[in-house]
Structures are given as structure tokens and as C-alpha cells.
Amino acid sequence: MPRNRFICRWNDCKKFFTSVETLFEHLTDDHVGRRATNNLCLTCCWNDCGATAAKRDHLTSHLKVHLPFKPHICLKCRKPFKRPQDLKKHEKTHTIEHQGTFMGTKG
């Protein structure tokens, strides 16, 4: 499959998308849905995953484990991350304090 084609693997959907961002939007809008539109689904049906969540945000966050979607980019080294908390943790590796501890110069 070409790199610029992403397939939805939610149940039998099989729709193709040209970017992982549009696939993610499709998943969150069409498959996870919303309580307000009466189509909310809190069970992941990606390749029969079956993970459940108590809240919509938790399931949409979970979906990123199935996708090469890393929208949070480190401004120092350009390394991408799926979750903002992972980026925040990584950013600390660029501090002088961390580098000093890592190099064994701080006790």
C-alpha cells in the first residue's frame, strides 16, 4: 500500500484516506461519534481491539495507539509524539539539569 494511503480498520469500514489526520477525524466523527448526535461508541472496534473507555476523550486518545499519528513535535529536535504528556516528558531531556544528571555530574 502506498505511504500516502491510510485505511480505516474499524469493523468493516475499509475507507481510504490520504493522511493520517483525516483518518483520525473520520474515526472520531463517524465511528466514536458524540453523545449530542446520539451515535457515541465507547468501544474500540479497530481490528477487533475491544478496548473500552468511560469517556469519549479517553477512547479518542486510545485510537492513536493504532495509528502512525504523532502531532506533538519537539521544537528542539523535531521528534514527534502521540500524546502531549509524552512530549512534555521528552522536553525535559533537553534541559541542562537533566543532561547534568544523565552525565553523572550531579548527585
Side-chain angles (χ1 to χ4, degrees):
M1 179 182 306
R3 284 179 65 100
N4 62 346
R5 293 192 58 187
F6 299 90
I7 188 169
C8 178
R9 300 192 184 280
W10 192 277
N11 287 337
D12 295 322
C13 182
K14 309 268 189 289
K15 287 184 180 178
F16 284 92
F17 298 88
T18 56
S19 74
V20 70
E21 291 84 4
T22 55
L23 170 56
F24 183 72
E25 288 174 18
H26 162 74
L27 287 167
T28 58
D29 293 344
D30 297 341
H31 295 306
V32 176
R34 298 182 185 285
R35 181 169 283 127
T37 54
N38 205 30
N39 67 337
L40 181 63
C41 173
L42 296 177
T43 300
C44 179
C45 297
W46 185 272
N47 281 345
D48 299 318
C49 171
T52 59
K55 296 181 179 181
R56 181 184 189 275
D57 290 349
H58 297 170
L59 187 61
T60 58
S61 179
H62 162 79
L63 290 175
K64 293 175 186 173
V65 304
H66 300 299
L67 305 174
F69 185 50
K70 296 182 177 182
H72 306 283
I73 311 293
C74 176
L75 297 176
K76 284 248 189 208
C77 69
R78 307 299 302 158
K79 185 173 181 176
F81 295 89
K82 291 183 183 225
R83 304 180 314 158
Q85 59 265 41
D86 296 335
L87 170 60
K88 188 173 183 175
K89 182 178 177 182
H90 163 79
E91 285 173 334
K92 292 177 182 176
T93 67
H94 293 297
T95 64
I96 293 171
E97 294 83 13
H98 179 270
Q99 292 170 358
T101 302
F102 182 73
M103 300 295 282
T105 57
K106 273 193 161 182

